Amino acid sequence: MQTELSKKLGVEHALFGFTPFPAVAAAISRAGGFGVLGAVRYTAPDDLKRDLDWIEAHVDGMPYGLDVVMPAKKVEGVTEADVEAMIPEGHRQYVKDTLAKYGVPELAEGEASGWRITGWMEQVARNQLDVAFDYPIKLLANALGSPPADVIERAHDRNVLVAALAGSARHARKHAEAGIDIVVAQGYEAGGHTGDIASMVLTPEVVEAVDPLPVLAAGGIGSGQQMAAALTLGAQGVWLGSIWLTVTEADMHSRALTRKLLAAGSGDTVRSRALTGKPARQLRTEWTDAWDDPNGPGTLPMPLQGLLVADAVSRIQRHEVEPLLGTPVGQIVGRMNSERSVQEVVDDLTRDFEKAVDRLNRIAGRSHE
């Protein structure tokens, strides 16, 4: 599964795998794809350094990248405490009441929240880059659009390609004007923050909008047939995230959550603002239902919602309160029915990709049989 972009990056398959787990990122690269480590949870630079050291030791010299969350425009002088002070007391009480309704225990004394929206603040991302640029990363992706101009320049000075996610052709054109190298066209079906346009419509629109820049198709892709469709639509590769959540190398810290993912169908996700304040596709749970309830206070805008629910989400995950337990995941969750290794997933994807291409060749009368 070779394209101009995969050849440029020196990978066997034009298959880019986004994951928060270092072991999964390294395994994707070893399997012939391109592993991309999500950095948003690394609020301490030393933690990111530790995991990049680990990847370096386990990637067998294959290329990999980093995904950060960095706003294109800088907001000066705003601290996390300033943002916390903007959260209404009524919303705080709603969180307390919802947790009490389901009997969610407190975190142990001294146990810090494992997830904070701090990772969305620009200075945190810049600290991450100060660490990452000491490593031979080949790609820097940004989930909040184009990175600031100085970051793009800094990456290019190190021969690091820059990618940005887009949910519309208009967004994609802005990325191209900003000087990025790769556009990730992320369709409505995708897990996490996503727009309103489905992949089948979005991918060719973005390809046309930013030509000749390479485009990666994302959202709802979890089979070789879908990868073939993405390349047929003009993409130079695929960007996969959700499918890695149930691989054996993933460190989910929750068997209950893994069971829920394996049991879920493609209709068991919802786009909700419950996690961050922006629409993000995730498992539908009684937690997302509570925030979408018209009788509730409604969600707050980003980053207020993320700070509001950070401790609550950690408590739900730590104590595995199943009715409330969820995670960002795309509609492809309906295909995630068994735990497989990364290598097995890549083997299945590439084998089915080849079958799909052979089928198209037969349809077109180009069969060599």
Side-chain angles (χ1 to χ4, degrees):
M1 185 177 166
Q2 286 277 301
T3 65
E4 184 179 343
L5 179 60
S6 66
K7 293 175 184 176
K8 183 175 184 177
L9 286 167
V11 295
E12 183 180 358
H13 308 301
L15 187 163
F16 294 72
F18 165 81
T19 175
F21 306 118
V24 177
I28 292 168
S29 290
R30 289 198 308 272
F34 190 99
V36 182
L37 178 67
V40 69
R41 66 190 179 98
Y42 293 99
T43 54
D46 286 347
D47 291 342
L48 179 59
K49 183 179 186 304
R50 176 201 65 216
D51 283 356
L52 288 176
D53 283 339
W54 191 94
I55 288 177
E56 272 292 298
H58 292 84
V59 80
D60 293 349
M62 302 305 294
Y64 62 94
L66 193 74
D67 179 281
V68 298
V69 179
M70 176 177 274
K73 296 180 180 179
K74 188 171 184 177
V75 180
E76 298 282 359
V78 178
T79 67
E80 183 176 333
D82 294 331
V83 179
E84 285 265 18
M86 299 169 64
I87 298 173
E89 185 55 38
H91 281 73
R92 295 187 188 276
Q93 189 60 49
Y94 188 70
V95 170
K96 293 177 183 177
D97 292 344
T98 304
L99 296 177
K101 177 181 176 181
Y102 292 91
V104 181
E106 297 280 353
L107 294 174
E109 186 175 350
E111 184 178 357
S113 167
W115 184 88
R116 300 288 289 178
I117 202 67
T118 310
W120 294 81
M121 302 181 79
E122 181 184 355
Q123 190 53 52
V124 173
R126 287 187 177 274
N127 291 341
Q128 293 166 349
L129 293 178
D130 288 341
V131 172
F133 282 140
D134 287 336
Y135 292 81
I137 62 171
K138 299 299 182 185
L139 176 71
L140 173 66
N142 188 34
L144 276 186
S146 304
D150 68 295
V151 172
I152 296 175
E153 182 179 2
R154 191 177 174 191
H156 287 167
D157 287 345
R158 290 164 174 78
N159 294 316
V160 176
L161 297 181
V162 179
L165 274 66
S168 70
R170 177 175 60 86
H171 292 154
R173 279 189 286 267
K174 287 184 176 180
H175 296 337
E177 292 165 3
I180 61 95
D181 306 291
I182 302 166
V183 175
V184 181
Q186 181 171 277
Y188 172 82
E189 308 95 325
H193 295 122
T194 185
D196 300 308
I197 306 173
S199 297
M200 182 65 74
V201 175
L202 179 67
T203 301
E205 286 186 353
V206 171
V207 168
E208 182 177 349
V210 301
D211 183 62
L213 285 184
V215 172
L216 299 176
I221 301 172
S223 73
Q225 293 90 339
Q226 290 166 317
M227 294 198 307
L231 268 60
T232 302
L233 294 173
Q236 285 204 32
V238 294
W239 178 275
L240 310 180
S242 297
I243 198 168
W244 313 112
L245 290 174
T246 53
V247 296
T248 54
E249 294 92 341
D251 187 11
M252 289 292 286
H253 298 296
S254 173
R255 292 303 304 170
L257 182 52
T258 298
R259 287 195 300 270
K260 290 187 75 171
L261 288 168
L262 294 173
S266 56
D268 292 328
T269 68
V270 63
R271 277 175 83 237
S272 171
R273 298 177 185 268
L275 188 60
T276 67
K278 288 184 67 175
R281 186 171 298 285
Q282 54 203 282
L283 275 183
R284 181 177 180 179
T285 66
E286 294 185 34
W287 178 255
T288 61
D289 286 350
W291 285 104
D292 292 336
D293 187 340
N295 295 318
T299 55
L300 297 170
M302 180 187 281
L304 300 182
Q305 182 72 14
L307 281 172
L308 170 66
V309 305
D311 288 337
V313 170
S314 291
R315 288 167 60 184
I316 292 165
Q317 292 175 344
R318 172 67 180 82
H319 298 290
E320 297 193 326
V321 183
E322 292 206 29
L324 305 179
L325 189 62
T327 185
V329 68
Q331 291 180 328
I332 200 62
V333 70
R335 294 186 65 93
M336 296 156 51
N337 301 317
S338 64
E339 293 182 81
R340 298 174 289 166
S341 69
V342 167
Q343 185 66 63
E344 288 173 319
V345 171
V346 172
D347 287 346
D348 287 346
L349 290 170
T350 53
R351 181 172 52 249
D352 289 344
F353 171 81
E354 187 173 358
K355 289 179 180 177
V357 172
D358 286 345
R359 180 173 181 271
L360 288 174
N361 282 331
R362 287 196 300 272
I363 292 171
R366 298 193 181 100
S367 175
H368 297 294
E369 295 178 5

